[in-house]
């Protein structure tokens, strides 16, 4: 079985890419990019932020252990939108910690693709953080739904780009890897959007300071009180 025959059931692809799936050039480039994002995320980290980062890293790790069967395969929550709203630019730090724990304890993911896996989850979280100030007037539930759904969508788009840069044959055929990835993660995107929406709404009601500084509660949420 060559790398183009990797099935979703074997866990070769999806948003945890195994060794041998990506071209070596893509693997090296994504590793360099991951180092840059981690450096950006770590810069200026304050001591009081560490407990929150640790807590969310644990949540990200635990979420990866929840397998949701979809057809012949299974997917798991990614929490990209949630991490982006809570941790902001520190989200990649929690993601890297979670990925390291997954690799050490469960051999989940690959060594050569660790950078790619980091980017696939960090970039969506950062995009949600950067864009959150533009939809701060949206009611809290829909703000969370948009974040959760969009983070999955961004991650899947990035994965497809990496696969196509590695080998065009990933996109060939009726049941191509790319089509399977897209179809498998569409229901997860909807599910994660709903879960993130409820989580954001209730957590904000209990402790608004938990959220990143640019995620503000505005007039659009007053109707939900």
């Amino acid at each position: 079985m060559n790398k183009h025959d990797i099935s979703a059931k074997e866990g070769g692809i999806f948003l945890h890419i195994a060794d041998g799936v990506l071209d070596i050039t893509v693997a090296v480039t994504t590793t360099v990019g991951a180092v840059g994002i981690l450096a950006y995320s770590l810069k200026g980290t304050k001591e009081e932020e560490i407990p929150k980062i640790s807590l969310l890293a644990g949540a990200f790790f635990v979420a990866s252990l929840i397998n949701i069967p979809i057809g012949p395969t299974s997917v798991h929550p990614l929490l990209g939108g949630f991490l982006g709203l809570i941790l902001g630019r520190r989200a990649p730090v929690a993601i890297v910690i979670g990925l390291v724990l997954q690799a050490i304890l469960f051999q989940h993911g690959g060594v050569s693709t660790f950078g790619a896996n980091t980017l696939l989850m960090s970039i969506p979280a950062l995009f949600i953080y950067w864009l959150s100030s533009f939809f701060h007037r949206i009611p809290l539930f829909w703000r969370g739904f948009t974040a959760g759904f969009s983070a999955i969508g961004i991650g899947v788009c990035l994965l497809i780009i990496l696969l196509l840069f590695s080998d065009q044959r990933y996109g060939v055929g009726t049941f191509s890897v790319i089509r399977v990835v897209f179809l498998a993660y569409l229901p997860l995107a909807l599910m994660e959007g709903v879960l993130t929406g409820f989580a954001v709404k209730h957590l904000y009601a209990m402790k608004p300071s938990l959220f990143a500084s640019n995620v503000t509660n505005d007039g659009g949420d007053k109707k939900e009180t």
Side-chain angles (χ1 to χ4, degrees):
M1 180 177 290
N2 59 38
K3 70 178 183 177
H4 309 294
D5 297 324
I6 295 173
S7 68
K9 192 173 184 178
E10 291 172 328
I13 301 186
F14 296 113
L15 295 190
H16 274 76
I17 307 175
D19 288 319
V21 173
L22 297 180
D23 177 79
I24 185 63
T25 303
V26 175
V28 171
T29 303
T30 51
T31 299
V32 174
V35 171
I37 279 187
L38 183 59
Y40 162 80
S41 182
L42 284 169
K43 184 178 181 181
T45 302
K46 300 177 181 178
E47 186 176 349
E48 55 266 28
E49 295 179 280
I50 295 177
K52 187 164 71 169
I53 294 173
S54 302
L55 178 65
L56 270 295
F60 173 76
F61 172 72
V62 171
S64 70
L65 304 180
I66 303 172
N67 288 313
I68 304 170
I70 298 178
T73 185
S74 64
V75 295
H76 65 77
L78 298 175
L79 303 185
F82 186 72
L83 292 176
L85 291 175
I86 299 288
L87 293 179
R89 66 179 289 179
R90 311 300 179 206
V93 180
I95 289 168
V96 168
I97 294 172
L99 290 177
V100 169
L101 290 174
Q102 292 170 15
I104 293 175
L105 298 178
F106 302 106
Q107 292 75 52
H108 201 25
V111 176
S112 65
T113 57
F114 187 85
N117 290 328
T118 300
L119 289 183
L120 287 175
M121 301 186 193
S122 296
I123 290 178
L126 288 175
F127 261 98
I128 295 303
Y129 167 60
W130 293 329
L131 296 175
S132 59
S133 59
F134 292 101
F135 50 79
H136 66 277
R137 294 189 64 86
I138 300 175
L140 282 171
F141 172 82
W142 291 109
R143 193 184 312 177
F145 178 89
T146 302
F149 183 88
S150 300
I152 296 288
I154 294 169
V156 170
C157 290
L158 289 173
L159 173 59
I160 290 173
I161 291 172
L162 293 182
L163 291 176
L164 290 177
F165 268 109
S166 295
D167 198 311
Q168 294 290 323
R169 285 176 289 179
Y170 280 126
V172 176
T174 304
F175 298 101
S176 66
V177 168
I178 287 177
R179 289 194 180 190
V180 172
V181 168
F182 179 80
L183 292 175
Y185 270 94
L186 180 58
L188 177 65
L190 294 170
M191 186 183 309
E192 187 148 337
V194 171
L195 292 176
T196 304
F198 281 117
V200 167
K201 181 176 179 179
H202 290 291
L203 283 176
Y204 203 105
M206 292 186 293
K207 193 172 183 180
S209 61
L210 187 64
F211 290 78
S213 58
N214 68 332
V215 184
T216 57
N217 192 8
D218 204 349
D221 300 310
K222 293 180 180 179
K223 296 178 181 179
E224 298 188 42
T225 58

